[in-house]
Amino acid sequence: MEETKHIRISDYNYPLPDERIAKFPLPVRDQSKLLVYRKGEISESKFISLPEYLEAGTLMVFNNTKVIQARLHFRKETGALIEIFCLEPIQPNDYALNFQQTRHAAWLCMIGNLKKWKEGALHKEMTVKGRTLTLKATRGECRGTSHWVDFTWDNEEVTFADILEVFGELPIPPYLNRETQESDKETYQTVYSKIKGSVAAPTAGLHFTERVLEALRNKGVELEEVTLHVGAGTFKPVKSEEIQGHDMHTEYISVNRSTIDKLIAHGGKATAVGTTSVRTLESLYHIGVTLRQHPEATQEELHVNQWQPYETELKLTPVEALTEIARYMDRNGLDALHTSTQIIIAPGYEYQIVQQMITNFHQPQSTLLLLVSAFTKGNWKPIYQYALEHDFRFLSYGDSSLLIP
């Protein structure tokens, strides 16, 4: 573990000219390029051809989270514009319950132009579902770089989800350097998104179309879903020289009991669509290890800490770890496991469940690049060099890769 902690993030840098960052997606999602890395060999294809590279019987796992319109803009009487960026629910702290709230909801938020909002509540009049209401935002305690914000409104027939849908703005990635456009509401969601809660899309999934999904089913690939709500921390740069100084953000995961059975039936092996699915699946292994040692743990106590995978001496097979989760869920009558993870996957990490990965091309000096490096046994540079030399488009709206180590 010490070796992993002392990884220098500067070793994971590469030149990324602004013109290589895709500012908008292609008109047809599945016409994007696909880089195929298979056991050290690199080739190029189109995403629509993905099913040709996968074997029948493969279990492919998707993150079905849906991006919420999490940016709210208020204008003070002085004219100052204040942006409130909803990061995660506090009261109630369950996403689904919070979205169903009427009259009041509290969130942990980042605040833009904070110096102009010293005191008092912010107000915004709006019409939602044909009903006029006033939304009030009151700032509470500071928590690190974020603040507790209470939202109240004077119409009990309107939910917080309704307000975000009408008043909120979709938070596209900061590195696109442009305003959110109406088209982003559709293009920055996967075609299979269902569960509201993310402030960033699981972007490897943006390439999938109904015809690609159908072709995968016809090939005999099994499709399964998990939920990880992507936080703004996914864009948090690594500012420390060594990664031991970087605090990973917490992300909330939900996995159905039937999904655990499906994973066990496939020998604890899966193909992950995107790094969020990777983090969810690999966290499941470490949750299973925790349960072997602490079978009576609460769901909150199953949280995977940043360095936990590197500190655990107990070794289980993936099936053994998943079986521990299945038994735990049965003992507690759980249809779904709800917990959280701070897992950091970097060189030195041993992958347990993920055998193949579909992922986009990530920012230099990012934790996502560390994850890819760990998966390819340090072989990320030739992959990125090939992508740069062959006109691949980078980051959220860019092209993708299929990694088979």
Side-chain angles (χ1 to χ4, degrees):
M1 178 179 71
E2 286 309 309
E3 225 171 88
T4 299
K5 282 187 171 182
H6 292 305
I7 286 172
R8 295 175 63 82
I9 197 64
S10 58
D11 292 339
Y12 293 83
N13 200 2
Y14 69 90
L16 180 59
D18 185 64
E19 62 268 19
R20 302 307 298 276
I21 299 172
K23 301 297 193 293
F24 292 91
L26 296 177
V28 182
R29 293 172 185 247
D30 58 21
Q31 293 304 299
S32 57
K33 286 180 159 190
L34 178 69
L35 181 149
V36 180
Y37 171 85
R38 185 158 40 189
K39 304 195 186 309
E41 298 294 316
I42 300 174
S43 60
E44 185 179 324
S45 186
K46 282 273 181 76
F47 194 84
I48 196 169
S49 302
L50 174 68
E52 298 171 16
Y53 296 95
L54 300 172
E55 294 179 9
T58 298
L59 177 63
M60 182 173 276
V61 178
F62 300 79
N63 181 7
N64 64 12
T65 189
K66 188 165 193 167
V67 184
I68 60 172
Q69 293 175 198
R71 279 198 166 106
L72 305 170
H73 292 102
F74 291 81
R75 194 169 288 282
K76 293 189 68 182
E77 291 173 4
T78 59
L81 187 66
I82 310 294
E83 179 183 283
I84 300 178
F85 188 174
C86 296
L87 297 179
E88 62 184 76
I90 303 174
Q91 212 176 61
N93 63 4
D94 176 271
Y95 281 87
L97 286 177
N98 196 293
F99 290 132
Q100 292 163 18
Q101 291 300 297
T102 57
R103 292 195 174 275
H104 172 261
W107 281 67
L108 189 64
C109 303
M110 285 197 299
I111 299 172
N113 208 10
L114 178 63
K115 63 181 181 295
K116 296 285 187 179
W117 186 19
K118 290 190 170 62
E119 57 185 6
L122 302 175
H123 298 83
K124 173 90 174 182
E125 286 194 7
M126 65 185 77
T127 301
V128 181
K129 290 176 151 180
R131 299 177 177 89
T132 302
L133 60 88
T134 300
L135 177 68
K136 183 167 85 168
T138 308
R139 201 180 88 211
E141 68 185 35
C142 177
R143 294 189 177 182
T145 56
S146 307
H147 286 80
W148 177 306
V149 176
D150 285 292
F151 296 100
T152 54
W153 57 100
D154 53 359
N155 192 315
E156 61 186 18
E157 294 180 37
V158 173
T159 66
F160 192 59
D162 294 333
I163 289 171
L164 289 182
E165 202 66 36
V166 173
F167 177 41
E169 180 183 280
L170 200 77
I172 59 172
Y175 46 63
L176 294 184
N177 289 321
R178 65 171 176 81
E179 296 291 315
T180 300
Q181 303 199 3
E182 190 64 25
S183 60
D184 291 308
K185 288 183 180 179
E186 181 181 346
T187 59
Y188 197 57
Q189 301 279 14
T190 63
V191 296
Y192 48 80
S193 64
K194 294 181 183 69
I195 314 296
K196 290 180 179 178
S198 280
V199 298
T203 54
L206 296 179
H207 306 276
F208 285 86
T209 55
E210 290 300 340
R211 63 180 170 181
V212 170
L213 293 170
E214 190 59 31
L216 287 165
R217 291 187 195 100
N218 291 339
K219 180 73 181 277
V221 174
E222 290 195 59
L223 312 182
E224 193 65 31
E225 296 179 357
V226 295
T227 305
L228 179 144
H229 290 315
V230 190
T234 193
F235 302 118
K236 183 181 173 186
V238 181
K239 292 186 174 175
S240 55
E241 284 189 22
E242 297 183 341
I243 65 164
Q244 67 175 342
H246 181 74
D247 287 328
M248 279 295 283
H249 52 292
T250 296
E251 293 173 308
Y252 296 89
I253 61 178
S254 175
V255 181
N256 290 332
R257 175 68 178 79
S258 57
T259 303
I260 301 296
D261 281 341
K262 190 72 70 75
L263 284 163
I264 291 170
H266 283 80
K269 294 182 169 70
T271 294
V273 177
T275 56
T276 60
S277 299
V278 170
R279 293 201 294 277
T280 305
L281 290 168
E282 292 300 310
S283 293
L284 286 178
Y285 173 83
H286 298 287
I287 289 167
V289 170
T290 297
L291 283 170
R292 172 66 66 89
Q293 297 166 312
H294 308 285
E296 300 307 316
T298 64
Q299 289 191 78
E300 289 79 11
E301 289 168 343
L302 296 178
H303 170 82
V304 179
N305 291 311
Q306 179 165 337
W307 299 109
Q308 184 177 328
Y310 307 88
E311 295 166 343
T312 306
E313 292 182 6
L314 177 63
K315 299 292 182 191
L316 301 179
T317 67
V319 168
E320 286 172 338
L322 292 162
T323 301
E324 291 291 340
I325 296 175
R327 289 173 180 156
Y328 173 83
M329 294 177 76
D330 292 345
R331 282 197 306 275
N332 292 281
L334 300 175
D335 293 328
L337 181 73
H338 298 283
T339 187
S340 56
T341 182
Q342 272 180 290
I343 193 170
I344 184 168
I345 299 179
Y349 179 85
E350 293 179 25
Y351 277 85
Q352 301 293 338
I353 292 174
V354 178
Q355 306 293 306
Q356 301 178 129
M357 184 192 305
I358 296 160
T359 188
N360 284 13
F361 296 95
H362 305 293
Q363 284 182 292
Q365 301 191 97
S366 64
T367 57
L368 300 180
L369 196 52
L370 293 173
L371 181 152
V372 168
S373 180
F375 194 65
T376 58
K377 302 290 188 287
N379 216 16
W380 69 272
K381 281 185 179 176
I383 295 169
Y384 275 64
Q385 192 63 38
Y386 184 99
L388 285 165
E389 290 173 358
H390 290 79
D391 295 322
F392 277 71
R393 300 158 77 246
F394 279 62
L395 307 188
S396 296
Y397 274 142
D399 297 313
S400 69
S401 61
L402 169 63
L403 307 178
I404 307 171

